[in-house]
Amino acid sequence: MTKSLPMSAVILAAGKGTRLRSALPKVLHPVAGKPMLEWVLRAARAAGCEHIYVVVGHGADQIQREIEADDVTWVLQREQLGTGHALLQVASYLSAPTTLLVLSGDVPLVAPETLDRLAVGARSGWGSMVVAEMEEPGSLGRVVATADGTLERIVEVADATGEELENRWINAGIYVLPAPGIFEFLTRLKPDNAKQELYLTNALTAAADGDRRLALVSLVEAEEAFGVNDRLDLARVHGVLLRRKAEELMREGVTILDPSHVVVEADVEVGRDSVLHPGVSLTGRSRLGEGCTIHQGAWLKDAQLGDRVVVEPYSVLEEVEVGNDCRIGPFARMRPGAVMKARAKIGNFVEIKNSVLAEGVKVNHLAYVGDATVGENANLGAGTITCNYDGVSKHHTEIGKGAFVGSDTMFVAPVSIGDGAMTAAGSVISKDVPPGALAIERSEQKTVLGYAKRKLERRKTRKQ
Ligand code: UD1
Ligand code: CA
């Protein structure tokens, strides 16, 4: 942005957001994985503002707790008397004349290019504001322009006549205004309108009446003006952010088979030639390498994947690390602390938690591996379980390199088996097994000749 204009940002975020009908303050509602306010903060930071003031009121404590913002000064608006009153709260924080970029906490889609235009627009007059022509202007304030393209007045929907509502030019709620110049008009506001609020927009109309030229700047894309007043708006804004992210990834060389049916949150990174199938969710700080394939219905949160990893359908991965060429699922679950080194493989109905599977390990079917270390190329048979919890604490299981674990082995931790050791199917292993040994723990099989046939015949005779 124009570095010649020293600017501070003010984000208005004190309103109740009544129409969301929520216990959560409006600006904390997540969109595309981040609280709405984070998106607005991001825009203010991208605009290069020297300082950011956030006006809070309803839910102020919770907002301050949940938003990480070392560069923010929180300004309290004790009573929510309207947007004009909200902006006025900043007055006592400013000691020198400055330019204010005013943003609404519930308008999260604004793009940096639009804010650039806004700053440029402000230089030609007293201030500037963002307008857009919308197909469905809904509840947004309507903007009337003068012949030379500056502001004449803003009419709020609650106060508009039928004719005024036909105007499809709307106020996006984003402005560049001079301080203290604007405060002169804000202090004179009266709640003489349908909502009995102190409207910032009325102060701007008054400024225009007083020959202050407010340049009207159009949005790069009309959708940037989408504000969030109810849950329908929330879904629409969420959709736009997800679409933007999907488009960005596709431009960077990621294949997304059906972009309207994937969720990729803002901070996720995906390497080129990766393929995302429908119904995939990549959330949090997940990072995928190149050439990965993520199949239908997989859900990843804070997952780090190397290159060429294949995640089969309906697998769930959270806070995990996966090396190159691993295969996961279908229907696998990797819980926090699960680490798979290169070429390891886990199959269906396998759960891994807080464990490291070294290179080439295979756990192909129906297993639980928790608090364990598994050495290179070990093979864990179907139904292997680490009994890691004794009701009080968790214990560790160590499985050596190249070990071969028979199906349905229970490891009663703490326990270890050495490199190349084997366990027989169905064994409950509670004592350490040295390298290269076989551990077998099951009673000897009895075979009673002819028994099955005799039993069947007895049953048949009883029935007659
Ligand atoms: C406002 C504008 C409208 C514009 C729309 C853009 C006014 C009077 N109207 O309407 O012209 O088209 O934004 O989205 O400004 N807030 C406070 N304190 C308050 C009241 C509101 O901080 O006392 C905050 C809200 O938290 C919100 C923002 O200001 O983030 C806008 O308030 P809201 O009540 O949603 O205004 P709109 O009716 O959407
Ligand atoms: Ca609003």
Side-chain angles (χ1 to χ4, degrees), residues 127-138:
S128 57
M129 63 181 283
V130 177
V131 297
E133 191 175 18
M134 301 261 274
E135 293 283 330
E136 291 177 32

Side-chain angles (χ1 to χ4, degrees), residues 15 83 177 213 288 304 333 345 352 384 404 435 461:
T83 48
L177 298 168
R213 279 173 52 87
L288 281 59
Q304 313 292 318
R333 179 166 183 212
K345 181 168 184 279
I352 313 283
T384 298
F404 185 88
T461 2

Side-chain angles (χ1 to χ4, degrees), residues 11-17 26-27 55-56 77 79-86 104-107 139-142 154-156 170-173 175 195 197-202 225-229:
I11 301 175
L12 307 181
K16 290 193 188 67
K26 169 152 85 173
V27 293
V55 182
V56 284
Q77 183 194 21
E79 272 185 290
Q80 287 77 62
L81 303 179
T83 48
H85 180 255
S104 294
D106 63 352
V107 183
S139 64
L140 296 171
R142 306 298 204 271
I154 307 170
V155 190
E156 289 306 308
I170 61 89
N171 166 26
Y175 321 90
K195 288 196 180 163
E197 287 185 2
L198 301 171
Y199 288 165
L200 169 56
T201 45
N202 282 358
F226 291 170
V228 177
N229 291 330

Side-chain angles (χ1 to χ4, degrees), residues 110-119 130 217-221 224:
V110 62
E113 296 89 317
T114 297
L115 297 181
D116 277 341
R117 286 189 193 175
L118 193 62
V130 177
V217 173
S218 337
L219 290 167
V220 176
E221 286 193 75
E224 291 175 54

